Coordinates of all heavy atoms in Angstrom, one line a residue:
A387 N 12.2 9.3 8.0 CA 12.0 7.9 8.5 C 10.7 7.3 8.0 O 10.5 6.1 8.1 CB 12.0 8.0 10.1
L388 N 9.8 8.1 7.5 CA 8.5 7.6 7.0 C 8.7 7.1 5.5 O 7.8 6.4 5.0 CB 7.4 8.7 7.0 CG 6.9 9.0 8.4 CD1 5.9 10.2 8.2 CD2 6.1 7.9 9.0
L389 N 9.7 7.5 4.8 CA 9.8 7.2 3.4 C 9.8 5.8 3.0 O 9.1 5.4 2.1 CB 11.1 7.9 2.9 CG 11.0 9.3 2.5 CD1 12.4 9.9 2.0 CD2 10.0 9.5 1.4
P390 N 10.5 4.9 3.7 CA 10.4 3.4 3.3 C 8.9 2.9 3.3 O 8.5 2.2 2.4 CB 11.3 2.7 4.3 CG 12.2 3.7 4.8 CD 11.5 5.0 4.8
F391 N 8.2 3.3 4.4 CA 6.8 2.9 4.5 C 6.0 3.5 3.4 O 5.2 2.8 2.8 CB 6.3 3.2 5.9 CG 4.9 2.7 6.1 CD1 4.7 1.4 6.6 CD2 3.8 3.6 5.9 CE1 3.4 1.0 6.8 CE2 2.5 3.1 6.1 CZ 2.3 1.8 6.6
L392 N 6.1 4.8 3.2 CA 5.3 5.5 2.2 C 5.5 5.1 0.8 O 4.6 4.9 0.0 CB 5.5 7.0 2.4 CG 4.9 7.6 3.6 CD1 5.3 9.1 3.7 CD2 3.4 7.4 3.8
V393 N 6.8 4.8 0.4 CA 7.1 4.4 -0.9 C 6.5 3.0 -1.1 O 5.9 2.7 -2.2 CB 8.6 4.5 -1.2 CG1 9.0 3.8 -2.5 CG2 9.1 5.9 -1.2
S394 N 6.7 2.1 -0.2 CA 6.2 0.8 -0.3 C 4.6 0.8 -0.3 O 4.0 -0.1 -0.9 CB 6.8 -0.2 0.7 OG 6.5 0.2 2.0
W395 N 4.0 1.7 0.5 CA 2.6 1.8 0.5 C 2.1 2.2 -0.9 O 1.1 1.6 -1.4 CB 2.2 2.9 1.5 CG 0.7 3.1 1.5 CD1 -0.2 2.5 2.3 CD2 -0.1 4.1 0.8 NE1 -1.5 2.9 2.1 CE2 -1.4 3.9 1.1 CE3 0.2 5.0 -0.2 CZ2 -2.5 4.6 0.6 CZ3 -0.8 5.8 -0.8 CH2 -2.1 5.6 -0.4
A396 N 2.8 3.1 -1.6 CA 2.4 3.5 -2.9 C 2.5 2.3 -3.9 O 1.7 2.0 -4.8 CB 3.2 4.6 -3.4
Y397 N 3.6 1.5 -3.7 CA 3.8 0.3 -4.5 C 2.6 -0.7 -4.3 O 2.1 -1.3 -5.2 CB 5.1 -0.4 -4.1 CG 5.2 -1.8 -4.7 CD1 5.6 -2.0 -6.0 CD2 4.9 -2.9 -4.0 CE1 5.7 -3.2 -6.6 CE2 5.0 -4.2 -4.5 CZ 5.4 -4.3 -5.8 OH 5.5 -5.6 -6.4
G398 N 2.2 -0.9 -3.0 CA 1.1 -1.8 -2.7 C -0.2 -1.3 -3.4 O -1.0 -2.1 -3.9
V399 N -0.4 0.0 -3.4 CA -1.6 0.5 -4.1 C -1.6 0.2 -5.6 O -2.5 -0.2 -6.2 CB -1.7 2.1 -3.8 CG1 -2.8 2.7 -4.8 CG2 -2.0 2.4 -2.4
L400 N -0.4 0.4 -6.2 CA -0.2 0.1 -7.6 C -0.5 -1.4 -7.9 O -1.0 -1.7 -9.0 CB 1.1 0.6 -8.1 CG 1.4 2.1 -8.1 CD1 2.8 2.4 -8.4 CD2 0.5 2.7 -9.2
T401 N 0.0 -2.3 -7.1 CA -0.2 -3.7 -7.4 C -1.6 -4.1 -7.3 O -1.9 -5.1 -8.0 CB 0.7 -4.6 -6.4 OG1 0.3 -4.4 -5.1 CG2 2.2 -4.3 -6.6
I402 N -2.4 -3.5 -6.5 CA -3.8 -3.9 -6.4 C -4.7 -3.3 -7.5 O -5.9 -3.6 -7.6 CB -4.4 -3.6 -5.0 CG1 -5.5 -4.6 -4.7 CG2 -4.7 -2.2 -4.8 CD1 -5.2 -6.0 -4.6
L403 N -4.1 -2.4 -8.3 CA -4.9 -1.7 -9.4 C -5.1 -2.5 -10.6 O -5.1 -1.9 -11.7 CB -4.3 -0.4 -9.7 CG -4.4 0.7 -8.6 CD1 -3.7 2.0 -9.1 CD2 -5.9 1.0 -8.4
G404 N -5.1 -3.8 -10.5 CA -5.4 -4.6 -11.7 C -4.1 -5.1 -12.4 O -4.2 -5.5 -13.5
V405 N -3.0 -5.1 -11.7 CA -1.8 -5.7 -12.2 C -2.1 -7.2 -12.3 O -2.6 -7.8 -11.3 CB -0.6 -5.4 -11.4 CG1 0.6 -6.2 -11.8 CG2 -0.3 -3.9 -11.4
G406 N -1.8 -7.9 -13.4 CA -2.0 -9.3 -13.5 C -0.8 -10.1 -13.3 O 0.2 -9.7 -12.7
G407 N -0.8 -11.3 -13.7 CA 0.3 -12.2 -13.5 C 0.6 -12.6 -12.1 O -0.3 -12.5 -11.2
L408 N 1.8 -13.0 -11.8 CA 2.2 -13.4 -10.5 C 2.1 -12.3 -9.4 O 1.6 -12.5 -8.3 CB 3.6 -14.0 -10.5 CG 4.2 -14.5 -9.2 CD1 3.3 -15.7 -8.7 CD2 5.6 -14.9 -9.3
I409 N 2.5 -11.1 -9.8 CA 2.5 -9.9 -8.9 C 1.0 -9.6 -8.5 O 0.7 -9.4 -7.4 CB 3.2 -8.7 -9.5 CG1 4.7 -9.0 -9.7 CG2 3.0 -7.5 -8.6 CD1 5.4 -8.0 -10.5
G410 N 0.1 -9.6 -9.5 CA -1.3 -9.4 -9.3 C -1.9 -10.4 -8.4 O -2.7 -10.2 -7.6
W411 N -1.5 -11.7 -8.7 CA -2.0 -12.8 -7.9 C -1.6 -12.7 -6.4 O -2.4 -12.9 -5.5 CB -1.6 -14.1 -8.5 CG -2.1 -15.3 -7.7 CD1 -3.3 -15.9 -7.8 CD2 -1.3 -16.0 -6.7 NE1 -3.4 -16.9 -6.9 CE2 -2.2 -17.1 -6.2 CE3 -0.1 -15.9 -6.2 CZ2 -1.8 -17.9 -5.3 CZ3 0.3 -16.8 -5.2 CH2 -0.5 -17.8 -4.8
I412 N -0.4 -12.3 -6.2 CA 0.1 -12.1 -4.8 C -0.6 -11.0 -4.1 O -1.1 -11.1 -3.0 CB 1.6 -11.9 -4.8 CG1 2.4 -13.2 -5.2 CG2 2.1 -11.4 -3.4 CD1 3.9 -13.0 -5.4
A413 N -0.8 -9.9 -4.9 CA -1.6 -8.8 -4.3 C -3.0 -9.2 -4.0 O -3.6 -8.9 -2.9 CB -1.5 -7.6 -5.2
D414 N -3.7 -9.9 -4.9 CA -5.1 -10.3 -4.7 C -5.2 -11.3 -3.6 O -6.1 -11.2 -2.8 CB -5.6 -10.9 -6.0 CG -6.0 -9.9 -7.1 OD1 -6.0 -8.7 -6.8 OD2 -6.2 -10.3 -8.2
T415 N -4.2 -12.2 -3.5 CA -4.3 -13.2 -2.4 C -4.0 -12.5 -1.0 O -4.7 -12.8 -0.1 CB -3.2 -14.2 -2.6 OG1 -3.4 -14.9 -3.9 CG2 -3.2 -15.3 -1.5
T416 N -3.1 -11.5 -1.0 CA -2.9 -10.7 0.2 C -4.2 -10.0 0.6 O -4.5 -10.0 1.8 CB -1.7 -9.8 0.0 OG1 -0.6 -10.5 -0.4 CG2 -1.5 -8.9 1.2
L417 N -4.8 -9.4 -0.3 CA -6.1 -8.7 0.0 C -7.2 -9.6 0.5 O -7.9 -9.4 1.4 CB -6.6 -7.9 -1.2 CG -7.8 -7.1 -1.0 CD1 -7.7 -6.1 0.1 CD2 -8.2 -6.4 -2.3
W418 N -7.3 -10.8 -0.2 CA -8.3 -11.8 0.2 C -8.0 -12.2 1.6 O -9.0 -12.3 2.4 CB -8.2 -13.0 -0.8 CG -9.2 -14.1 -0.4 CD1 -10.5 -14.1 -0.6 CD2 -8.9 -15.2 0.3 NE1 -11.1 -15.2 -0.1 CE2 -10.1 -16.0 0.5 CE3 -7.7 -15.8 0.8 CZ2 -10.1 -17.2 1.2 CZ3 -7.7 -17.0 1.5 CH2 -8.9 -17.7 1.6
I419 N -6.8 -12.6 2.0 CA -6.4 -13.0 3.3 C -6.7 -11.9 4.3 O -7.2 -12.1 5.4 CB -5.0 -13.5 3.4 CG1 -4.8 -14.8 2.6 CG2 -4.5 -13.6 4.8 CD1 -3.4 -15.2 2.4
S420 N -6.4 -10.6 4.0 CA -6.6 -9.5 4.9 C -8.1 -9.3 5.1 O -8.5 -9.0 6.2 CB -5.9 -8.2 4.3 OG -4.5 -8.4 4.1
N421 N -8.9 -9.4 4.0 CA -10.3 -9.3 4.1 C -10.8 -10.3 5.1 O -11.6 -10.0 6.0 CB -11.0 -9.5 2.8 CG -10.9 -8.3 1.9 OD1 -10.6 -7.2 2.3 ND2 -11.1 -8.5 0.6
W422 N -10.4 -11.5 4.9 CA -10.9 -12.6 5.8 C -10.4 -12.4 7.3 O -11.3 -12.5 8.2 CB -10.3 -14.0 5.3 CG -10.8 -15.1 6.1 CD1 -12.0 -15.8 5.9 CD2 -10.1 -15.8 7.2 NE1 -12.1 -16.8 6.8 CE2 -11.0 -16.8 7.6 CE3 -8.9 -15.6 7.8 CZ2 -10.6 -17.6 8.7 CZ3 -8.6 -16.4 8.9 CH2 -9.4 -17.4 9.3
L423 N -9.2 -12.0 7.5 CA -8.7 -11.8 8.8 C -9.4 -10.6 9.5 O -9.8 -10.7 10.6 CB -7.2 -11.5 8.8 CG -6.2 -12.6 8.6 CD1 -4.8 -12.1 8.4 CD2 -6.3 -13.7 9.7
G424 N -9.6 -9.6 8.7 CA -10.3 -8.4 9.3 C -11.8 -8.7 9.6 O -12.3 -8.3 10.6
D425 N -12.4 -9.5 8.7 CA -13.8 -9.8 8.9 C -14.0 -10.7 10.1 O -14.9 -10.5 10.9 CB -14.4 -10.5 7.7 CG -14.6 -9.6 6.5 OD1 -14.7 -8.4 6.7 OD2 -14.8 -10.1 5.4
V426 N -13.1 -11.7 10.3 CA -13.1 -12.6 11.4 C -12.9 -11.7 12.7 O -13.6 -11.9 13.7 CB -12.0 -13.7 11.3 CG1 -11.8 -14.4 12.7 CG2 -12.4 -14.7 10.3
A427 N -11.9 -10.8 12.7 CA -11.7 -9.9 13.8 C -12.9 -9.1 14.2 O -13.2 -8.9 15.3 CB -10.4 -9.1 13.6
L428 N -13.6 -8.6 13.1 CA -14.8 -7.8 13.4 C -15.9 -8.6 14.0 O -16.5 -8.2 14.9 CB -15.2 -7.1 12.1 CG -14.4 -5.9 11.6 CD1 -14.9 -5.5 10.2 CD2 -14.4 -4.8 12.6
V429 N -16.1 -9.8 13.5 CA -17.2 -10.6 14.0 C -16.9 -11.1 15.4 O -17.7 -11.0 16.3 CB -17.5 -11.8 13.0 CG1 -18.4 -12.8 13.6 CG2 -18.1 -11.2 11.7
W430 N -15.7 -11.8 15.5 CA -15.4 -12.4 16.8 C -14.8 -11.4 17.8 O -14.9 -11.7 19.0 CB -14.4 -13.6 16.6 CG -15.2 -14.7 15.8 CD1 -15.1 -14.9 14.5 CD2 -16.0 -15.6 16.4 NE1 -15.9 -16.0 14.2 CE2 -16.5 -16.4 15.3 CE3 -16.5 -15.9 17.7 CZ2 -17.4 -17.5 15.5 CZ3 -17.3 -17.0 17.9 CH2 -17.8 -17.8 16.8
G431 N -14.2 -10.4 17.3 CA -13.5 -9.4 18.3 C -14.5 -8.4 18.8 O -14.4 -8.1 20.0
V432 N -15.3 -7.8 18.0 CA -16.2 -6.8 18.5 C -17.7 -7.0 18.2 O -18.5 -6.1 18.4 CB -15.8 -5.4 17.9 CG1 -14.4 -5.0 18.4 CG2 -15.8 -5.3 16.4
G433 N -18.0 -8.2 17.7 CA -19.4 -8.5 17.4 C -20.0 -7.8 16.2 O -21.2 -7.6 16.1
G434 N -19.2 -7.3 15.3 CA -19.7 -6.6 14.1 C -20.1 -7.6 13.0 O -20.3 -8.8 13.2
Q435 N -20.3 -7.0 11.8 CA -20.7 -7.8 10.7 C -19.6 -7.8 9.7 O -18.8 -6.8 9.5 CB -22.0 -7.3 10.0 CG -23.2 -7.4 10.9 CD -24.4 -6.8 10.3 OE1 -24.3 -6.2 9.2 NE2 -25.5 -7.0 10.9
A436 N -19.5 -8.9 8.9 CA -18.4 -9.0 7.9 C -19.0 -9.0 6.5 O -20.2 -9.1 6.3 CB -17.7 -10.4 8.1

Side-chain angles (χ1 to χ4, degrees):
L388 289 173
L389 276 178
F391 184 86
L392 291 176
V393 169
S394 62
W395 180 87
Y397 169 81
V399 170
L400 289 171
T401 61
I402 203 64
L403 287 178
V405 173
L408 182 62
I409 296 168
W411 179 81
I412 291 169
D414 284 347
T415 303
T416 302
L417 181 60
W418 177 79
I419 291 169
S420 300
N421 284 340
W422 184 83
L423 287 172
D425 288 344
V426 166
L428 287 172
V429 170
W430 292 97
V432 294
Q435 295 180 352

